[in-house]
Amino acid sequence: MAFLIRALAVAAAAASAGCLRVPEPILPVVESVAVHAVLDTGGREAVVLVTRFPPGATQAVPVTDAEGEVGRGGVSVALAADAGAPCRFEAGAAVASGCYRASLAEPVAPGDEWWLRVTLAGGETARGEVRVPLAPEIREPAGEEIRLQFSSRDGGTVVDAPLRWVWADAAARLGQRFGPATGFGAGAVLNAHCHAAARIEDAPAGTVPPLGETHARLLVHGAACQAAGGPVAWDSIRVPLLWVATDTAAARYLSAAHAGTGIRPQRASAGLRGAFGVFGATTTVRRTITILPPP
Amino acid sequence: MLLALALLLVQEGAVQGTVRSDPSGEPLPHAAVVVPELDRRVSADSRGFYVLAGLPAGSHRLRVVAMGHDTASFTAVVPQGGTVRMDLRVPVRGVALDVVEVRTDVQHPASRTGPGSVLMDRAEIKAQPALAEADAFRAVQALPSVAAVSDFSSAPYLRGSPQDHVVLTLDGAPLINPYHVAGLFSAIDPEAIAGVEVIAGALPADQPDRLSGAIHITTREGGRDRFRTTGGVGLVSSRVGVDGPLPGGGGSMLLSVRRTYLDAAVTGARALGLTRESFPYAFTDAHLKLTHDVGEAGTLSVSGYVNDERLRMPSAWASENVGWGWGSRAASVRFRRPLAERWLLDARLGTTSFSALLESRDWGRPLARSDMDNTVAGLEAARYGGTHRTTAGVAAELHRLDHDVTGTGADETGLVLPALQRDERVRSLAVFLNDEWTPGPRFGARAGLRILHVLDGATVVMPRVGARVGLRDDLALTFGAGRYAQTVRSLRDEESYVASLFAYDLLVAAPAAAPATSWDVVVGAEWTGARTALRVEAFGRGIDGMIMPPLADDPRDTPALVASDSIVGSGSARGVEVLLRHQGGRGSLMVAYTLAHAAREVDGTRYTPRFNRRHTLDATGTLRLGERGQGNARLAVSSGQPFTPLLSQHGGYRYDPNTGMWQPGQSPLVYGAHNSERLPAYLRLDLGIRRTYHRRLFGGEGAVTPYFQVLNAIGTRNVLWASPAQQSGRPVLEYGPQLPTLPTLGVEWRF
């Protein structure tokens, strides 16, 4: 019987396959140009990545002969090509980036409105505008650091701290995240990999920031430092906690562009006209959580 | 003057009764009853009931025209100011072979006062080459108003609307998901069907509340003269039916049962020790109808329908022991009785349900459960005046919609079920008034009003109008318009590829305060010759307040079901339809052409829905082969359905605000505008042949009809979907197939 069932399945598959058109190679009808640039509050440099994706290519190729400028109001700075530079790619990323840089006369500040123009040798021009989101107001923890400590039954460190803040910019999409942890011992930075098992609970998610004060909880279930020779004793571990405000268009792009293998054109660009990619801005507020071992 | 008019009215009389087939005595739905010398004509209703009112007292010759029957004449003596009751028995044409016959004068029964509905009888349904066996829903897809979303789904799409915008009824009871094998077949035994009526637009006020149209299936009542049996064995299932008079006379019964047999055969083989395996799938459907006369002219009928399916995946096929059972039920009670001389009372109670259970023995609890039921109680009274037929009615409706689905993520099959917990009740009350006015043979008009009140929700007022103007005896113009509303909606996302493969709807409540509404306008022309009828209609439709899913970033990721209630969209459709029916000496031909535009608008994006085909040409022909044979063919040619093309590829990067560093992306495909291109054109030729042998069986005259049919006889590689994908880093267009060449055979009998 199993043979009969499988034979029927194979026959059905074969019949369907007999009626199936073979996949046809297709060429994207449009050569795409991508511009990527994100301005960070406090930064004095604009870095712009320019690439193109020719029909039939398997990966993007850098554009090295573009010219452009970035500015605020009537004041602008020309972009300078920085060919061959890693251009703010993480170490080890084998990317030819088409890197352009511009030194800004003043640091990027919340509320500023910046514009970008990139013109390729063929005359195609991409233009973008972005308003730098305002910084959120962090109400708790109140100071630069908090020190909370409870002993759990298994000897680990447990932190359960309330968080309160107010998003200042309703047009921005925001998120909280942790920065890399740093361990300290005997008054010095430890040469070890330190890690805090931490998470934020009850923070509302979504694309629209909630109005008014937002409440959440910071939970740290454990912490440890590890060196090549094994566990390392530590006096404290500092974990940066970041509130990142990103302009809404850029946030959508950064979350959608890599969610699947296909995207819609309106999701393939944010803050830009004439190219795929993103021209966005972020404003980050940091608080450092200091975790102490149990007494 | 007034005195003369009053005297004239007093002198007028009426004839009423039921048109029946001779010798069986079964009612003939929608037969035409004509008084030639007065140029008067009425259509019998779906139960064969007719009223000829406003006739001068005296003797009149009545002529009756009905599909599959000889034309018959009768003499009626109309009393002054009174009503004479006459049941008109029309001799059946042929005794054993289902003959497809075009009767141009009876196949548009509602066309006296507006755009007409279209009828298909059992012979037409059975004459179409079908997948394994005859199928009412697939047969009506040969009409210009009705379309299929794919070869794999028999769900009817009507003038730019999916099936949940169309009310399906069986003997007046609403139907939910009346399908087998995910929609591959409809679950209505064709042998039990008397006729199918399709109302594609300009619905009169008495029609149930749906946004688009109605498909009404009327089953046979069964013969009143003797018992008959029918049966058949096809590749998929076997069926048997019996009909005959009720004990004591005065009524009839019909029972038909259909079931798959491979699972039963394997079970038998296992009992005999021939195998240790089991076959994983089975379906059963059954229909029972009892009709009994009440008094001199009333009838009480009870109709029940059961559809049950089981699928249990063998452990060798699935990591978990998964079982799936689902099915639908329907039952209706209908009482009809003429009151006084010109009134007809029609009371009905219908209920239907659909339930599905997906469970895993390993999980120990249901993965998904869905229970939906719909109950309708209605009361109508119709008055047949000389030139007016006025109908008033009330209908109370209850939907109970209970779904509990444990969400599943996307798997390799692309089937995505969102987590869904809904337990809803929708109660509504509708009242309507409709008047049809036919002052002469060349003019008829109707005006009606339907008011729908959703309990704890909105009240929707829906005017309906229609008119027919005869330019000549054989040529008429028609017009109709109306507003419609719907209190439930389907969770199916029609943009999902899965919607092309599964016909089942999961219904939930539409917003009570703002149910979806629609309007339509239909204008047409009808030419009716002796052997040929041609109908041309142009229509426009708008739909507002539809809860719609957002468009997925990648069309391939569109989920099968969308539980979100947050986005309200709109839709529209317009088109031209041509229907030609011709009866030749040895055969018949039906040609349907449709030019259809449909659009949806959601979230600022306007697109053509995936089920739309711009041009569709459907030709169905039958040809007598000798005295006992019949050849059938159906040719379908249409534009491809829309798909979303690949526009470009994009070297996207990911940004980490923690470090201010970029990371390489995946070079995603960038799609063009949603559904902005079309798949390759569709072409399919189906062929069938049947031959009837007369035999004496069990002491009576019987007939055995073997048949052979081939679907997609020329092996066209029709395309179900086209999907951009990457192979070795390069984009390609992958195609999903429609049906391959598929031969089927079987045998039917009746005696």
Side-chain angles (χ1 to χ4, degrees), chain B residues 142 144 578-581 589-593 617-620:
Chain B
V578 180
L579 176 61
L580 173 79
R581 279 170 149 163
L589 177 69
M590 183 174 78
V591 178
Y593 167 75
L617 179 70
D618 224 308
T620 305

Side-chain angles (χ1 to χ4, degrees), chain B residues 389-465:
Chain B
R389 187 173 81 97
T390 307
T391 311
V394 58
E397 187 166 13
L398 167 65
H399 284 274
R400 295 195 304 171
L401 309 166
D402 185 4
H403 309 288
D404 187 356
V405 178
T406 303
T408 61
D411 59 15
E412 66 277 6
T413 65
L415 298 174
V416 181
L417 283 177
L420 176 67
Q421 275 83 37
R422 297 181 81 134
D423 186 4
E424 300 169 325
R425 304 286 183 273
V426 183
R427 298 175 181 86
S428 62
L429 184 71
V431 294
F432 70 88
L433 178 66
N434 187 63
D435 185 66
E436 295 181 2
W437 179 46
T438 48
R442 288 195 178 180
F443 180 75
R446 62 174 162 81
L449 187 69
R450 187 175 181 92
I451 301 174
L452 172 69
H453 174 67
V454 186
L455 202 66
D456 302 324
T459 298
V460 187
V461 178
M462 300 171 284
R464 315 274 171 91
V465 294

Side-chain angles (χ1 to χ4, degrees), chain A residues 5 32 40 56 88 242 264-265, chain B residues 317 552 649 655 658 671 730:
Chain A
I5 291 172
S32 72
D40 293 319
R88 290 172 72 176
L242 284 63
R264 296 186 178 282
Chain B
W317 287 17
Q649 210 163 0
Y655 184 72
N658 263 339
Y671 289 102
R730 295 184 182 278

Side-chain angles (χ1 to χ4, degrees), chain B residues 696-716:
Chain B
R696 285 196 68 80
L697 296 170
F698 305 103
E701 184 69 24
V704 178
T705 306
Y707 60 87
F708 176 73
Q709 48 201 13
V710 183
L711 269 63
N712 195 7
I714 54 178
T716 313

Side-chain angles (χ1 to χ4, degrees), chain B residues 315-337:
Chain B
S315 54
W317 287 17
S319 57
E320 293 176 344
N321 196 352
V322 175
W324 194 3
W326 67 101
S328 56
R329 313 271 187 277
S332 64
V333 180
R334 188 169 185 181
F335 175 68
R336 290 159 59 89
R337 186 176 190 278

Side-chain angles (χ1 to χ4, degrees), chain B residues 630-652:
Chain B
Q630 182 172 288
N632 312 303
R634 179 176 172 184
L635 175 70
V637 184
S638 65
S639 316
Q641 290 166 308
F643 80 104
T644 303
L646 177 64
L647 180 69
S648 183
Q649 210 163 0
H650 170 32

Side-chain angles (χ1 to χ4, degrees), chain B residues 494-513:
Chain B
E494 293 295 336
E495 292 306 300
S496 162
Y497 294 164
V498 179
S500 297
L501 301 173
F502 289 84
Y504 301 120
D505 277 320
L506 288 188
L507 298 175
V508 296

